């Protein structure tokens, strides 16, 4: 079973950048769709950025388009979230999650939207705080 662990969170000033990492162990990520999600106090959980389990393509929430970039390195079992132009409203608890349904295709959008609350595997998360 795949286990996920995030790192890279912290405190950053508005306009700054952070890169989050999600490392998988105990299995391979090749057949998993992967996503970054966030939860802020008083706000709904949001699928921030996701990748499919095969092929290309990505999905981004409208709130982060043009500022965040998701990438994955299956050989290193790592998925990254590069966050640029951070805003105070990006402050949240971020976690990565993975989903596999046999060998069925899971699109990036499905990962972020359909599996928002039900992804099979998720990491413990990391806090991102954007404040001056």
């Amino acid at each position: 079973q795949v286990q996920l662990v995030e790192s890279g969170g912290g405190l950053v000033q508005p306009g700054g950048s952070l890169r989050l990492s999600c490392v998988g162990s105990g299995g391979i990520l090749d057949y998993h769709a992967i996503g970054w999600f966030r939860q802020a106090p008083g706000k709904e959980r949001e699928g921030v950025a996701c990748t499919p389990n095969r092929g290309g393509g990505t999905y981004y929430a409208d709130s982060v388009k043009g500022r965040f970039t998701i990438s994955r390195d299956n050989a290193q079992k790592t998925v990254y979230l590069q966050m640029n132009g951070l805003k105070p409203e990006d402050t949240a608890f971020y976690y990565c999650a993975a989903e596999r349904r046999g060998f069925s295709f899971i699109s990036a959008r499905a990962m972020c939207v359909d599996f928002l609350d039900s992804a099979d595997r998720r990491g413990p998360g990391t806090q991102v705080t954007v404040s001056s």
Side-chain angles (χ1 to χ4, degrees):
Q1 294 283 2
V2 171
Q3 295 182 331
L4 305 172
V5 177
E6 304 89 344
S7 63
L11 173 64
V12 63
Q13 292 186 343
S17 298
L18 282 175
R19 189 176 79 159
L20 304 183
S21 299
C22 171
V23 180
S25 62
I28 60 174
L29 292 181
D30 297 49
Y31 302 120
H32 291 75
I34 307 287
W36 283 97
F37 302 82
R38 67 185 181 186
Q39 179 85 63
K43 295 184 179 180
E44 294 186 351
R45 186 178 305 172
E46 181 178 30
V48 174
C50 294
T51 66
N53 57 340
R54 62 175 180 264
T58 53
Y59 174 91
Y60 295 96
D62 288 341
S63 57
V64 306
K65 281 181 181 177
R67 300 187 297 122
F68 289 13
T69 302
I70 187 172
S71 60
R72 62 191 291 171
D73 184 337
N74 286 341
Q76 297 297 321
K77 299 182 182 180
T78 303
V79 179
Y80 303 98
L81 183 67
Q82 179 66 44
M83 305 185 294
N84 299 327
L86 283 162
K87 305 175 181 179
E89 50 264 43
D90 293 318
T91 295
F93 189 76
Y94 287 71
Y95 65 93
C96 63
E99 180 68 33
R100 177 180 177 180
R101 294 294 175 96
F103 295 101
S104 297
F105 175 67
I106 301 173
S107 71
R109 185 182 185 283
M111 183 64 200
C112 265
V113 177
D114 298 340
F115 293 106
L116 177 64
D117 297 312
S118 61
D120 183 50
R121 295 286 165 182
R122 59 168 286 182
T126 185
Q127 178 68 35
V128 172
T129 302
V130 185
S131 175
S132 55

